Amino acid sequence: MTGERLKISTNTIVREACVADRITVKNPIVEMDGDEMTRIIWQFIKDKLISPFLDIDLKYFDLGMRHRDETDDRVTTEAAIAIKEYGVGVKCATITPNASRVKEYNLAQQWKSPNATIRSILDGTVFRKPIIIKNIPPGVRSWKKPIIIGRHAYGDIYKSTEIVVDEPGTAELVFSPSAGSEKRIMHVHDFTGPGVIMGMHNTESSIRSFAKACINNALSEKMDIWFGAKDTISKQYHGFFRDVFAEEIDKSKDALQNAGIQYRYMLIDDAVAQVMKSDGGMLWACMNYDGDVMSDMIASGFGSLGLMTSVLVSPDGKFEFEAAHGTVMRHYYAHLKGEATSTNSIASIFAWTGALSKRGELDNTPDVVKFAQAVERVVIETVEQGTMTKDLMLIAEPTVSTYALTEEFIDAVAGRLEKVV
Ligand code: NAP
Ligand code: MG
């Protein structure tokens, strides 16, 4: 099904900035521009949904591929430091260069993923949250409320050492204390033939940061926290995660209780089964591998990449918001060829509203929070009343036969927003 283009008049849309009636945002937000199709969407959002309505001090960092290269990627570090300073950031999707991007942009080197750089400076945990819209039903019928995945993004198999052995021999686990005290040696296995071995680790401080970030985000979202591991089998390793997590929950007991937030620890298999049967509405804290796998399961269970937002939360309560998807390269190259595109801007818009809500909450400026909520409501109503981009048209129920182009969708939102704020 391809569908007809939806015709929307765009002539009334860009409201003249009228300084007098704009809402003042008290403290700055760190804005990070990005690449390709999302960079184009970014500008539309700013011009049509942000600048006309808000008097806001944006600390702008251009994380577009060319500017990162020109600054030897210093701009990414500067942006992360600014988020530390101001507490709230909003980021456009960016290219993570691979070999073909190095050629395409003639890069001085294959720069690191900006998200990885920012994450390591903020020591943050990434939470992914789907946007729920009535006529875009999740694949899993019971899911009515968002399920947020919090993935511990350090260690385990992602920082492991592996050996393939091709002869009989003994595998041991050895720990040599730096202070020179006696080594600890554990027997792993006596191989009588070929096999494979892996050594992995995690650190208490990383697990603590992860637990704190989950608690901060659950408080911010007012959602219960679930944590699952396999401590019946891995009594020490998974047991360590369970215990450290529980200690952090205990330290925040009062705050959690006051917010009506419950904590549930369960076996990971039980957690998986319970999530599938639930109506959603929980923050699911996952160990690294579980989070990697389960975030893709949750994303496809909810329907579309264009409806998945992402927030990086640091243990000391700094927040960076973005869309979970990438720069939508295929659409960008179609756009460069002069073809009309229908790229979904909802996750990028929600990155802005997430940042604005958080800014308003931290600044104690309810007008700003109300504005962000109004934008979100208007976006959802726009889709629920049948105006949507092609990716959503393909899965909408009841079916719709037309779709909006990239800019038309944002114009439709802006047109409605004018009437409500
Ligand atoms: P992508 O940008 O997520 O897009 C993959 C495909 O998913 C698109 O071609 C499109 O499918 C669909 N899609 C994703 N977002 C959409 C949206 N908003 N509206 C409509 N359709 C959407 O992944 P990619 O094209 O593989 O990656 C492009 C670049 O993004 C890469 O350089 C990668 O490094 C970067 N990336 C950045 C981030 C980040 O900054 N957080 C995250 C992931 C990837 P159709 O083609 O079928 O329409
Ligand atoms: Mg994955």
Side-chain angles (χ1 to χ4, degrees), residues 122-125 205 208-214 216 313-318:
L122 291 178
D123 184 20
T125 302
S205 73
R208 255 185 225 294
S209 295
F210 167 59
K212 280 185 199 154
C214 288
N216 277 336
V313 182
S314 75
D316 55 347
K318 315 288 183 201

mmCIF file of all heavy atoms in Angstrom, residues 122-125 205 208-214 216 313-318:
data_model
loop_
_atom_site.group_PDB
_atom_site.id
_atom_site.type_symbol
_atom_site.label_atom_id
_atom_site.label_comp_id
_atom_site.label_asym_id
_atom_site.label_seq_id
_atom_site.Cartn_x
_atom_site.Cartn_y
_atom_site.Cartn_z
ATOM 1 N N LEU A 122 28.951 12.020 30.776
ATOM 2 C CA LEU A 122 27.877 12.180 31.776
ATOM 3 C C LEU A 122 27.738 10.949 32.669
ATOM 4 O O LEU A 122 26.964 10.964 33.625
ATOM 5 C CB LEU A 122 26.544 12.436 31.078
ATOM 6 C CG LEU A 122 26.401 13.783 30.375
ATOM 7 C CD1 LEU A 122 25.049 13.877 29.695
ATOM 8 C CD2 LEU A 122 26.550 14.929 31.354
ATOM 9 N N ASP A 123 28.426 9.848 32.332
ATOM 10 C CA ASP A 123 28.303 8.596 33.065
ATOM 11 C C ASP A 123 26.834 8.175 33.089
ATOM 12 O O ASP A 123 26.293 7.776 34.130
ATOM 13 C CB ASP A 123 28.861 8.786 34.495
ATOM 14 C CG ASP A 123 28.842 7.484 35.283
ATOM 15 O OD1 ASP A 123 28.777 6.413 34.649
ATOM 16 O OD2 ASP A 123 28.869 7.545 36.527
ATOM 17 N N GLY A 124 26.176 8.346 31.956
ATOM 18 C CA GLY A 124 24.719 8.212 31.953
ATOM 19 C C GLY A 124 24.213 6.849 31.533
ATOM 20 O O GLY A 124 24.937 6.014 31.017
ATOM 21 N N THR A 125 22.919 6.653 31.787
ATOM 22 C CA THR A 125 22.205 5.467 31.339
ATOM 23 C C THR A 125 21.142 5.923 30.348
ATOM 24 O O THR A 125 20.507 6.951 30.549
ATOM 25 C CB THR A 125 21.516 4.775 32.534
ATOM 26 O OG1 THR A 125 22.521 4.440 33.481
ATOM 27 C CG2 THR A 125 20.784 3.518 32.112
ATOM 28 N N SER A 205 30.878 0.529 41.020
ATOM 29 C CA SER A 205 30.498 1.927 40.821
ATOM 30 C C SER A 205 29.609 2.080 39.583
ATOM 31 O O SER A 205 28.670 2.878 39.581
ATOM 32 C CB SER A 205 31.734 2.818 40.727
ATOM 33 O OG SER A 205 32.367 2.613 39.499
ATOM 34 N N ARG A 208 26.141 0.862 40.497
ATOM 35 C CA ARG A 208 25.492 1.865 41.364
ATOM 36 C C ARG A 208 24.976 3.049 40.554
ATOM 37 O O ARG A 208 23.855 3.520 40.743
ATOM 38 C CB ARG A 208 26.500 2.388 42.398
ATOM 39 C CG ARG A 208 26.247 1.820 43.739
ATOM 40 C CD ARG A 208 27.116 2.351 44.842
ATOM 41 N NE ARG A 208 27.557 1.215 45.631
ATOM 42 C CZ ARG A 208 26.743 0.456 46.363
ATOM 43 N NH1 ARG A 208 25.461 0.728 46.440
ATOM 44 N NH2 ARG A 208 27.212 -0.588 47.019
ATOM 45 N N SER A 209 25.823 3.542 39.626
ATOM 46 C CA SER A 209 25.403 4.662 38.770
ATOM 47 C C SER A 209 24.159 4.281 37.979
ATOM 48 O O SER A 209 23.234 5.078 37.823
ATOM 49 C CB SER A 209 26.485 5.014 37.762
ATOM 50 O OG SER A 209 27.604 5.494 38.414
ATOM 51 N N PHE A 210 24.182 3.067 37.466
ATOM 52 C CA PHE A 210 23.042 2.565 36.685
ATOM 53 C C PHE A 210 21.770 2.562 37.544
ATOM 54 O O PHE A 210 20.723 3.080 37.139
ATOM 55 C CB PHE A 210 23.383 1.157 36.197
ATOM 56 C CG PHE A 210 22.235 0.378 35.641
ATOM 57 C CD1 PHE A 210 21.521 0.848 34.553
ATOM 58 C CD2 PHE A 210 21.885 -0.848 36.201
ATOM 59 C CE1 PHE A 210 20.463 0.114 34.029
ATOM 60 C CE2 PHE A 210 20.840 -1.587 35.688
ATOM 61 C CZ PHE A 210 20.116 -1.106 34.606
ATOM 62 N N ALA A 211 21.884 2.014 38.738
ATOM 63 C CA ALA A 211 20.710 1.955 39.624
ATOM 64 C C ALA A 211 20.216 3.366 39.949
ATOM 65 O O ALA A 211 19.013 3.640 39.910
ATOM 66 C CB ALA A 211 21.060 1.191 40.898
ATOM 67 N N LYS A 212 21.163 4.280 40.210
ATOM 68 C CA LYS A 212 20.764 5.657 40.547
ATOM 69 C C LYS A 212 20.058 6.314 39.372
ATOM 70 O O LYS A 212 19.070 7.026 39.546
ATOM 71 C CB LYS A 212 22.000 6.494 40.904
ATOM 72 C CG LYS A 212 22.471 6.267 42.322
ATOM 73 C CD LYS A 212 23.623 7.221 42.619
ATOM 74 C CE LYS A 212 24.423 6.727 43.805
ATOM 75 N NZ LYS A 212 25.806 7.168 43.799
ATOM 76 N N ALA A 213 20.596 6.103 38.164
ATOM 77 C CA ALA A 213 19.970 6.702 36.980
ATOM 78 C C ALA A 213 18.558 6.135 36.788
ATOM 79 O O ALA A 213 17.633 6.871 36.442
ATOM 80 C CB ALA A 213 20.828 6.445 35.745
ATOM 81 N N CYS A 214 18.390 4.834 37.045
ATOM 82 C CA CYS A 214 17.048 4.228 36.925
ATOM 83 C C CYS A 214 16.098 4.860 37.942
ATOM 84 O O CYS A 214 14.946 5.174 37.620
ATOM 85 C CB CYS A 214 17.106 2.714 37.163
ATOM 86 S SG CYS A 214 17.881 1.814 35.823
ATOM 87 N N ASN A 216 16.368 7.865 39.358
ATOM 88 C CA ASN A 216 16.090 9.247 38.929
ATOM 89 C C ASN A 216 15.043 9.291 37.835
ATOM 90 O O ASN A 216 14.133 10.121 37.851
ATOM 91 C CB ASN A 216 17.361 9.913 38.388
ATOM 92 C CG ASN A 216 18.215 10.467 39.501
ATOM 93 O OD1 ASN A 216 17.711 10.757 40.581
ATOM 94 N ND2 ASN A 216 19.502 10.609 39.251
ATOM 95 N N VAL A 313 20.207 9.748 31.188
ATOM 96 C CA VAL A 313 20.078 10.308 32.533
ATOM 97 C C VAL A 313 21.346 10.002 33.310
ATOM 98 O O VAL A 313 21.777 8.847 33.380
ATOM 99 C CB VAL A 313 18.870 9.680 33.269
ATOM 100 C CG1 VAL A 313 18.705 10.298 34.657
ATOM 101 C CG2 VAL A 313 17.597 9.872 32.470
ATOM 102 N N SER A 314 21.952 11.026 33.888
ATOM 103 C CA SER A 314 23.181 10.776 34.639
ATOM 104 C C SER A 314 22.830 10.533 36.105
ATOM 105 O O SER A 314 21.758 10.931 36.561
ATOM 106 C CB SER A 314 24.132 11.961 34.494
ATOM 107 O OG SER A 314 23.678 13.019 35.289
ATOM 108 N N PRO A 315 23.726 9.874 36.837
ATOM 109 C CA PRO A 315 23.407 9.577 38.240
ATOM 110 C C PRO A 315 23.201 10.845 39.071
ATOM 111 O O PRO A 315 22.500 10.801 40.076
ATOM 112 C CB PRO A 315 24.618 8.783 38.742
ATOM 113 C CG PRO A 315 25.590 8.735 37.637
ATOM 114 C CD PRO A 315 24.987 9.290 36.397
ATOM 115 N N ASP A 316 23.795 11.977 38.646
ATOM 116 C CA ASP A 316 23.582 13.211 39.406
ATOM 117 C C ASP A 316 22.470 14.073 38.790
ATOM 118 O O ASP A 316 22.375 15.271 39.065
ATOM 119 C CB ASP A 316 24.889 14.013 39.523
ATOM 120 C CG ASP A 316 25.514 14.313 38.162
ATOM 121 O OD1 ASP A 316 25.085 13.691 37.168
ATOM 122 O OD2 ASP A 316 26.399 15.173 38.086
ATOM 123 N N GLY A 317 21.610 13.433 37.951
ATOM 124 C CA GLY A 317 20.389 14.116 37.529
ATOM 125 C C GLY A 317 20.537 15.126 36.412
ATOM 126 O O GLY A 317 19.914 16.177 36.438
ATOM 127 N N LYS A 318 21.379 14.834 35.396
ATOM 128 C CA LYS A 318 21.422 15.638 34.173
ATOM 129 C C LYS A 318 20.691 14.832 33.089
ATOM 130 O O LYS A 318 20.782 13.595 33.075
ATOM 131 C CB LYS A 318 22.868 15.898 33.715
ATOM 132 C CG LYS A 318 23.811 16.304 34.823
ATOM 133 C CD LYS A 318 23.553 17.708 35.308
ATOM 134 C CE LYS A 318 24.562 18.101 36.378
ATOM 135 N NZ LYS A 318 24.061 19.211 37.206
#
